[in-house]
C-alpha cells in the first residue's frame, strides 16, 4: 500500500540547468511534474507520466501551457536605489553618483520613506520572479531593518549589509560614518538579522567600493570580516567597474592603496561567499586570484551600458575559472527581470571583439544556478532537483501576447523555445513566484 505524501504537484513544462562537462546543460520536461512537499522541498521532478504513486492523490496546479523555471537569483542590486532607475546623471559613474544616487540614498534616513522603499523593493522582486538577491544595503540602520522586515513578510530570500562609506564628496555626506561607528553598526546588524527567518535572511559586509574607505579603514573592515566569515556572513562590493584610463577609477584605487591592481585593495575579503560586482577591467592575475579563492563575479551588462563602463571580458573571465552570475544593478540597471539582463548579456557579448554567442543553457544558468553557486546556496536552490528547496517561477505566455505568439512557432520542449522564452519574456509573463514552496504575495493580501 502506498502512503500518500502531503504535497502539491505543479504540471508544466519544466526547464532548468545542471552542470555539464562543457558548461551548463539544459533540462527540459515538455509535460513535467514538480511535486512540492508540505515542508517546502521538492519531492519529485520529472515527466508527468512518471509521477510516483505517493503523489497520486496530491492536488494539481495545472500550468501545461506555461513553464516552471527555478527562481531567479540576482547577485547585485541596490535597495536604496529602488526609485532611481533611469535617473539622468549627465555622465559616467562618479558624476551619476553625485548628481542622482547619493541624494536619493540619503532620503532613506526618513523611517517612513524607508518603509515605502523596502515594500516597493520587495514588490518589484516578487513581480520579476527574483526569489533570492544579494542586496547592496542602506547606510541607515532603520532602512536596513525595514528591508529585512519586509523581506521576511514577503517571504523572499535576502542577503544584505549596510553600505559602509567613510569617504566621499559633499553629496554623500549624509551617508558617511567614521569607521568605529560603521563597525559597530555592522556588528549589530549581523547579530540581529543573520540567519533570521530560518536562514531566509542573511548578512553581508558591504563597503561601497575601494575609494569609499581609506586603506587603514579597509584593513579594519577586513579584520572584522575575518571574525564573522566563519558564521556564513557574505562579502560584497564593486570591482573595476568604470574606467581603466590613467585618470579613471582603476588608476585611482591603485594610487590610493599603493597596489599593482584593484583587487589587492580587497585583501582579506576573498573566498567563498565573496561576490564582486562588474569586474569589467580586471587583468588576468586578478581573475586567477578570484578563481583560486572561490570568489564570484556579479555580471551587470545593463548597468554597464547605462554608465558607459565597458563590457566584462567573457572569454577571459570564464577561461580563468571564475563563477559568473547576473546582477540587475538596479538603479543604474533599469531592468528588474533577470532574463532581460540575460538578453543584454547575449547582445553585448556577441557584439564584443571576442564575439561569443551565449546559448539557452548558459543564459538560464546565469539567471539561476550560477547565482546560487555564487552565493554558496547551490545545494539548496538554483534548479529543480528533488531534495532542494522549492524556489521557482511560473511563466504563463498567455499573459504576454507577444511572447505567446513567438513561442507558438518554436516547437514545445525545444532548446529554441527556451532561448526565445528568455530573450522575449517580460514581467507580465510571470504568473507567480514561490520560495520554499510558498507563493510570494504582498503581506497586505
Amino acid at each position: 500500500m502506498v502512503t500518500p505524501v502531503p504535497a502539491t504537484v505543479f504540471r508544466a513544462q519544466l526547464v532548468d540547468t545542471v552542470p555539464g562537462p562543457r558548461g551548463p546543460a539544459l533540462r527540459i520536461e515538455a509535460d513535467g511534474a514538480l511535486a512540492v512537499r508540505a515542508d517546502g522541498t521538492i519531492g519529485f521532478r520529472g515527466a508527468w507520466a512518471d509521477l510516483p504513486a505517493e503523489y497520486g492523490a496530491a492536488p494539481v496546479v495545472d500550468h501545461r501551457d506555461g513553464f516552471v523555471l527555478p527562481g531567479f537569483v540576482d547577485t547585485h542590486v541596490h535597495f536604496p536605489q529602488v526609485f532611481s532607475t533611469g535617473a539622468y546623471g549627465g555622465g559616467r559613474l562618479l558624476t551619476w553618483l553625485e548628481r542622482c544616487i547619493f541624494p536619493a540614498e540619503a532620503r532613506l534616513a526618513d523611517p517612513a520613506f524607508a518603509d515605502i522603499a523596502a515594500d516597493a523593493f520587495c514588490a518589484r522582486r516578487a513581480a520579476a520572479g527574483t526569489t533570492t538577491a544579494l542586496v547592496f544595503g542602506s547606510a541607515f540602520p532603520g532602512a536596513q531593518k525595514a528591508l529585512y522586515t519586509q523581506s521576511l513578510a514577503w517571504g523572499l530570500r535576502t542577503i544584505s549589509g549596510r553600505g559602509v562609506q567613510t569617504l566621499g564628496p559633499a553629496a554623500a555626506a549624509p551617508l558617511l560614518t567614521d569607521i568605529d561607528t560603521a563597525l559597530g553598526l555592522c556588528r549589530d546588524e549581523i547579530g540581529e538579522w543573520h540567519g533570521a527567518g530560518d536562514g531566509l535572511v542573511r548578512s553581508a559586509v558591504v563597503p561601497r567600493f575601494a575609494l569609499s574607505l581609506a586603506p587603514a579603514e579597509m584593513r579594519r573592515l577586513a579584520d572584522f570580516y575575518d571574525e564573522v566569515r566563519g558564521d556564513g556572513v557574505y562579502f560584497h562590493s564593486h570591482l573595476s567597474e568604470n574606467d581603466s584610463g590613467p585618470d579613471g577609477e582603476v588608476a585611482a584605487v591603485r594610487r590610493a592603496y599603493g597596489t599593482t591592481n584593484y583587487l589587492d585593495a580587497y585583501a582579506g575579503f576573498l573566498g567563498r561567499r565573496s561576490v564582486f560586482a562588474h569586474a569589467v577591467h580586471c587583468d588576468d592575475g586578478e581573475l586567477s586570484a578570484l578563481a583560486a579563492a572561490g570568489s564570484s563575479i556579479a555580471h551587470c551588462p545593463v548597468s554597464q551600458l547605462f554608465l558607459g563602463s565597458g563590457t566584462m571580458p567573457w572569454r577571459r573571465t570564464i577561461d580563468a575559472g571564475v563563477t559568473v552570475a547576473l546582477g540587475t544593478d538596479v538603479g543604474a540597471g533599469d531592468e528588474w527581470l533577470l532574463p532581460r539582463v540575460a538578453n543584454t548579456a547575449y547582445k553585448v557579448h556577441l557584439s564584443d571583439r571576442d564575439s561569443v554567442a551565449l546559448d539557452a543553457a548558459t543564459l538560464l544558468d546565469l539567471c539561476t544556478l550560477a547565482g546560487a553557486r555564487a552565493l554558496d546556496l547551490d545545494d539548496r536552490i538554483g534548479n529543480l532537483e528533488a531534495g532542494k528547496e522549492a524556489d521557482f517561477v511560473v511563466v504563463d505566455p498567455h499573459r504576454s501576447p507577444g511572447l505567446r505568439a513567438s513561442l507558438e512557432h518554436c516547437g514545445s520542449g525545444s532548446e529554441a523555445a527556451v532561448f526565445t522564452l528568455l530573450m522575449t519574456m517580460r514581467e507580465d509573463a510571470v504568473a507567480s513566484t514561490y520560495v520554499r514552496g510558498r507563493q510570494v504575495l504582498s503581506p497586505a493580501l
Side-chain angles (χ1 to χ4, degrees):
M1 182 176 178
V2 175
T3 303
V5 175
T8 300
V9 177
F10 292 80
R11 187 175 184 180
Q13 296 183 64
L14 306 181
V15 185
D16 63 355
T17 63
V18 292
R22 294 182 178 84
L26 202 60
R27 295 195 306 181
I28 305 170
E29 200 67 63
D31 184 11
L34 187 76
V36 179
R37 297 183 181 126
D39 66 357
T41 61
I42 297 171
F44 172 79
R45 179 244 188 250
W48 172 258
D50 297 332
L51 182 68
E54 58 261 38
Y55 300 111
V60 176
V61 182
D62 195 336
H63 290 293
R64 269 177 284 180
D65 290 335
F67 299 81
V68 167
L69 309 176
F72 301 136
V73 181
D74 188 344
T75 58
H76 184 60
V77 56
H78 290 257
F79 156 52
Q81 298 173 25
V82 59
F83 301 126
S84 298
T85 55
Y88 177 68
R92 296 194 177 189
L93 176 65
L94 298 182
T95 303
W96 174 76
L97 286 171
E98 286 196 48
R99 292 184 179 180
C100 303
I101 297 307
F102 293 148
E105 293 192 3
R107 293 188 64 193
L108 273 72
D110 176 1
F113 182 75
D115 285 339
I116 292 170
D119 184 57
F121 182 79
C122 291
R124 291 306 303 267
R125 282 183 53 191
T130 299
T131 53
T132 301
L134 179 56
V135 180
F136 204 105
S138 170
F140 305 109
Q144 281 298 97
K145 180 178 180 179
L147 171 65
Y148 291 131
T149 301
Q150 287 288 351
S151 294
L152 292 175
W154 279 82
L156 293 166
R157 294 183 193 270
T158 296
I159 303 165
S160 185
R162 71 180 309 273
V164 178
Q165 189 170 5
T166 64
L167 303 173
L175 310 175
L176 305 183
T177 58
D178 62 84
I179 189 62
D180 291 318
T181 299
L183 291 171
L185 291 171
C186 289
R187 191 179 299 278
D188 291 346
E189 183 177 321
I190 291 168
E192 182 174 2
W193 293 106
H194 186 57
D198 193 25
L200 208 61
V201 159
R202 297 167 187 250
S203 295
V205 172
V206 185
R208 181 178 284 278
F209 75 127
L211 295 178
S212 296
L213 290 90
E217 295 171 332
M218 189 70 85
R219 286 193 293 270
R220 288 189 61 188
L221 194 63
D223 290 342
F224 170 71
Y225 183 59
D226 196 49
E227 294 177 27
V228 299
R229 72 159 73 221
D231 297 323
V233 174
Y234 290 76
F235 173 80
H236 188 44
S237 193
H238 300 87
L239 173 67
S240 296
E241 177 178 2
N242 195 257
D243 196 339
S244 61
D247 298 316
E249 176 196 359
V250 175
V253 170
R254 290 173 177 167
R255 288 193 299 269
Y257 281 79
T259 59
T260 57
N261 62 47
Y262 196 131
L263 185 63
D264 285 345
Y266 294 119
F269 293 109
L270 273 66
R272 289 171 57 199
R273 296 183 296 277
S274 291
V275 181
F276 294 87
H278 303 296
V280 173
H281 303 289
C282 287
D283 61 32
D284 289 344
E286 290 172 298
L287 295 176
S288 296
L290 289 169
S295 295
S296 302
I297 291 171
H299 179 30
C300 307
V302 175
S303 70
Q304 287 156 15
L305 286 176
F306 181 77
L307 294 174
S309 300
T311 302
M312 187 200 78
W314 180 266
R315 291 186 188 276
R316 280 203 302 117
T317 304
I318 296 302
D319 289 349
V322 186
T323 293
V324 175
L326 286 185
T328 59
D329 199 18
V330 165
D334 59 359
E335 297 282 3
W336 288 85
L337 183 70
L338 275 171
R340 299 303 302 156
V341 182
N343 175 298
T344 300
Y346 177 82
K347 293 171 182 175
V348 298
H349 292 299
L350 188 62
S351 302
D352 192 34
R353 62 183 179 184
D354 289 332
S355 191
V356 56
L358 305 180
D359 60 14
T362 299
L363 295 174
L364 180 59
D365 197 72
L366 283 169
C367 296
T368 56
L369 188 57
R373 188 179 306 115
L375 299 180
D376 199 28
L377 293 173
D378 52 316
D379 61 333
R380 300 187 184 192
I381 61 169
N383 61 12
L384 304 176
E385 288 283 1
K388 289 191 175 183
E389 298 180 17
D391 289 14
F392 61 95
V393 178
V394 177
V395 178
D396 181 0
H398 290 278
R399 296 163 57 100
S400 182
L403 175 62
R404 183 183 70 237
S406 296
L407 288 172
E408 284 176 354
H409 303 284
C410 289
S412 178
S414 68
E415 182 175 350
V418 176
F419 184 82
T420 296
L421 172 69
L422 294 171
M423 294 294 285
T424 308
M425 71 176 287
R426 302 293 195 275
E427 286 181 33
D428 59 2
V430 176
S432 49
T433 302
Y434 291 80
V435 173
R436 290 179 175 169
R438 172 186 173 273
Q439 188 172 359
V440 176
L441 297 168
S442 169
L445 296 179

